[in-house]
Amino acid sequence: MSRAGTSVRLEPRAVALLVYLAERPGQTVTREELEREVWRGRVVGYDALSRAITKLRKAFGDDPLQPRVIETIPKVGYRLVAEVKRVEPGPSSSEAAEPHPNLERKLTAILYADVAEYSRLTGEDEDGTHRALSSHLDLITATVARYNGQVVHFAGDAILADFAIASDALSCAVAIQHALEIRNRDLAENSKVQFRIGVNLGEVIVDRDDIYGDGVNVAARLESLAEPGGICISGALYDAIGHRLLVDCEFLGEQSVKNITKPVRAYHARLRPDALPPEPGAAPRRAERSRRQLVLAGGLAVVLIVIASGSIWFSRWNAREPAASTSSTPMLASDKPSVAVLPFANLSADPAQEFFADGLTGDLITDLSKVSGLFVIARHSVFAYKDQPKPVPEIAQELGVRFVVEGSIQRAAGRIRINAQLIDASNGVNLWAERYDRKEIDVFALQDRVIEDIVDTLAVKLTDVEKTRLARRRTASLEAYDYYLRAEQHRFHGDEGPAIEFYRQAIALDAAYSDAYAGIALSALELWRWDSTDVMPGAAARRMTYDAASKLLYLDENDPRAYAVLAMVQAIEGRHEEAIQAGLKSVSLDPNDADSHARLARIYMLAGEHAKAESVMKSAFKLNPRPPAYYEGELGIMAFFRHDYEQAQELFQNPDLDYHYGKWLAMAYAELGRIAEARGEMDKIYKPVPFANLAYYRTLFSQFKRKEDLELILGALKKAGVPEWPYGYQPVREHQLDEKSLAEITFGRTWFGHDSRGIPFVQQFTDDGRVVFRGRASLLTGTVRLKDELICIEFPGALLGREECGYVYRNPDSSSGQQIEYVRVALGDIYYFSVKPN
């Protein structure tokens, strides 16, 4: 600016403020409008506007008490009272700089610091305050650089910086306040130059090496909420750091702040008493820096697993609560680089997008699991730490890993933004950190990039097969992927019915979506193997399992999930050798899949190869150290077959186990001679399975290959008080029909009557051995044959498709005023009926 022929220097924001007022001569402009329009989304400290006005008045030589240029309107704003003449720009003039139309956006951690009571301090000692401020700003600038941040700009006594890693931003804030506290320690209270600091994690606009937007504004508003010498952080930053909070945080609630539409969740953050600020981590990876060098700097070493004396993996304590350790170095579960991917924080404005953050985390785990050179912890174990503020070294110690991946995901306005970092838990060093910002349609390319960076940083070499599998096509439909992630969320929580419906919707959009077929196969398998007829008839679940697994193999002949499903189907059907081969194939294709190991262990157990079962189950626990409860149940069954009934009953007492394991607890009690407790457990079983009987269990457990295993089970059940036939029915031997009599009332005949609960039924047999059963809520078709004096009926939709054999007796009693001719004792019920020709 020129005044009386002399050039006067002004900072750009003061000039912009003057231009804005000059375009509105004589008009009163509020403080809020000036902050919003002149600063254009930039941070505005409490005194920033006042300081800019002061600089303009000093440049003009204007007296605020008798203004000739700028007049203050008390409690409202300002007005330009000088005469204004507009001069049209010539051809060489340029328009005021505007942000570039193609704006870059990024998710970043923002630190905003401003001096508390700056006006009072300068009023009392302008020179001394300025010297202290200059020195403090130098300290803050150096500290920001030391913690891998970047100073974006200064605004008088304020400073704005951004960080690629949220924890670096908070660590830097803590270090700044700790250093300033030491500087101010010997000064009088009213002479201390103290800063308030606000730290936020949010989206910003990047333009000409500056950042703008609500992400910055929130940081500035948080600064004003902080105490002098204190730090105030946003809920977004608190959630993102989660497991690695370095300070004690006091929740301030939802705060309504100026120019921010929605309330901001805020926390006061304070360094713990007698604690020192954390040391800076490794600098984030730059494009020109070798990831391999970072790994070497981190001291990547091979540490052999140390196993405590005895089979610790068998103990309930080890399976559910890993041992505490005084060492900061994790007891590693593998000599390969071991990795745990913690649940990524959902930073989207819509909490309903939690499924997307969880699903994408699960996909990263799945893809990393395909790398044979890594040891990757299963999803179930890492999600046990979701929303738990636990330090990363402690999590690594419990999971037995050296490296931890953590980060955040934001999905908004058609874009996906990920902040991720890889931490060496043995020394707290950040080996790699990156920000990714892509269109939603590029979500798979984004996942590939994250996997590539992690694998590259850990210096793991991919085989050609692994490269092919990692590069496989998922789906071209973002909507299909959305449905798939919703399905995965349901399946993860055991809701197979809704999961299947979402998988189907994904397939409707992409008929070649292999992941969706895998999800259907795994979900339908669970419905079939547990006979969940309330969700889907057994025959339909079995057919769906086969069809989905077959389609999956057609799309990818090397998909491990297809072999895992087929292995379980073959085992249930008693085809043990085929099942073992398919299970081994599944594990070889995906050695990091804990559930595939657990399924193979069960297959070995059904085949009577109990030592192999225990060995494979050990691998499952290493990969999934905080597993679902059924892992412990399977260990209990293995202990039962080793005749270690004490350990078996301890494992079966896990309260999270499904009621199906209750009969195993009863068997363990029975073999220990604790008959009253055994019968008490069976009383609980009779509630969901009132017809429980030895004949039923003989058929249900027929998948056990070894006769001695089956007899051990049946003997224990008999000791526990399980009757031979349903509802304790006591047949009379002389009333039993022989094979000839059975044939006479079966083929070409219709049975009609009621079951033990009085529910009517009709059962029709053809001459060639087909049968149809119709009850009040069921319609089953199958086959019938006679064997000795038994009638054997097989319905694919019941009893896992197994044949059900029972006796038929003449009935001398009457019921409801009509003669009932016969009684059929089936495995699950007693049927009272008469016969007529078809």
Side-chain angles (χ1 to χ4, degrees), residues 84-103:
V84 176
K85 181 186 292 187
R86 180 180 295 275
V87 179
E88 294 301 324
S92 62
S93 300
S94 60
E95 297 293 329
E98 292 292 334
H100 193 276
N102 296 322
L103 297 176

Side-chain angles (χ1 to χ4, degrees), residues 355-603:
F355 81 93
F356 188 83
D358 289 351
L360 201 144
T361 304
D363 270 4
L364 292 177
I365 294 171
T366 299
D367 282 348
L368 281 174
S369 295
K370 295 171 185 170
V371 180
S372 59
L374 292 176
F375 180 90
V376 183
I377 296 297
R379 172 173 175 164
H380 192 281
S381 287
V382 294
F383 271 77
Y385 296 93
K386 186 175 171 68
D387 300 324
Q388 287 193 20
K390 214 169 201 179
V392 163
E394 189 175 338
I395 294 174
Q397 183 77 33
E398 293 178 1
L399 295 179
V401 298
R402 177 166 182 177
F403 303 103
V404 173
V405 178
E406 65 174 3
S408 59
I409 298 174
Q410 184 180 36
R411 186 185 190 190
R415 299 191 70 83
I416 297 172
R417 300 176 182 92
I418 293 181
N419 265 18
Q421 55 187 331
L422 177 67
I423 303 159
D424 185 339
S426 67
N427 54 27
V429 170
N430 284 22
L431 297 180
W432 156 81
E434 189 59 274
R435 290 175 289 188
Y436 306 89
D437 189 334
R438 298 282 185 97
K439 294 178 181 177
E440 277 188 337
I441 197 68
D442 297 327
V443 61
F444 301 124
L446 188 151
Q447 290 181 40
D448 291 344
R449 177 66 186 280
V450 175
I451 296 297
E452 176 190 337
D453 285 349
I454 293 171
V455 170
D456 193 10
T457 301
L458 294 177
V460 174
K461 185 176 178 59
L462 297 176
T463 67
D464 291 339
V465 173
E466 289 167 349
K467 290 177 183 177
T468 301
R469 291 180 62 201
L470 287 171
R472 68 182 173 82
R473 175 183 176 272
R474 295 176 176 91
T475 179
S477 170
L478 186 63
E479 188 178 359
Y481 183 61
D482 207 73
Y483 281 128
Y484 169 76
L485 292 186
R486 293 177 189 274
E488 287 285 278
Q489 189 84 333
H490 281 287
R491 187 170 72 84
F492 182 71
H493 293 291
D495 301 326
E496 280 84 9
I500 288 172
E501 290 308 310
F502 279 120
Y503 287 131
R504 282 173 164 168
Q505 291 184 66
I507 290 170
L509 293 165
D510 184 351
Y513 195 176
S514 61
D515 286 343
Y517 286 107
I520 288 180
L522 291 165
S523 298
L525 173 66
E526 292 304 299
L527 295 178
W528 180 51
R529 67 181 290 213
W530 295 114
D531 203 22
S532 303
T533 54
D534 56 326
V535 180
M536 184 180 296
R542 180 177 179 274
R543 171 51 56 190
M544 183 179 289
T545 302
Y546 261 119
D547 289 348
S550 300
K551 181 68 173 180
L552 181 56
L553 278 177
Y554 172 76
L555 293 169
D556 182 358
E557 63 181 4
N558 287 315
D559 193 302
R561 297 166 295 185
Y563 291 100
V565 169
L566 291 176
M568 283 303 300
V569 171
Q570 291 161 348
I572 292 169
E573 293 179 342
R575 296 149 56 193
H576 298 99
E577 293 308 315
E578 295 174 67
I580 289 172
Q581 294 307 311
L584 288 170
K585 176 89 168 176
S586 173
V587 168
S588 68
L589 288 170
D590 193 350
N592 283 306
D593 184 11
D595 287 345
S596 288
H597 283 82
R599 293 187 190 101
L600 179 58
R602 182 168 183 81
I603 291 166

Side-chain angles (χ1 to χ4, degrees), residues 598-612:
R599 293 187 190 101
L600 179 58
R602 182 168 183 81
I603 291 166
Y604 274 129
M605 182 174 62
L606 295 176
E609 299 188 36
H610 299 301
K612 288 184 179 179

Side-chain angles (χ1 to χ4, degrees), residues 527-533 536-543 546 569 572-574 696 699-700 702-703 780-785 792-805 827:
L527 295 178
W528 180 51
R529 67 181 290 213
W530 295 114
D531 203 22
S532 303
T533 54
M536 184 180 296
R542 180 177 179 274
R543 171 51 56 190
Y546 261 119
V569 171
I572 292 169
E573 293 179 342
Y696 167 74
T699 299
L700 189 66
S702 64
Q703 58 192 291
L780 300 172
T781 62
T783 58
V784 62
R785 72 185 181 99
C792 298
I793 300 174
E794 181 180 337
F795 291 124
L799 277 176
L800 301 177
R802 298 197 178 106
E803 190 176 57
E804 175 187 19
C805 297
L827 301 186

Side-chain angles (χ1 to χ4, degrees), residues 679 681-693 720-723:
R679 296 192 173 186
E681 289 303 319
M682 283 310 303
D683 286 342
K684 299 175 186 177
I685 296 294
Y686 289 136
K687 293 179 181 179
V689 191
F691 57 83
N693 62 87
V722 177

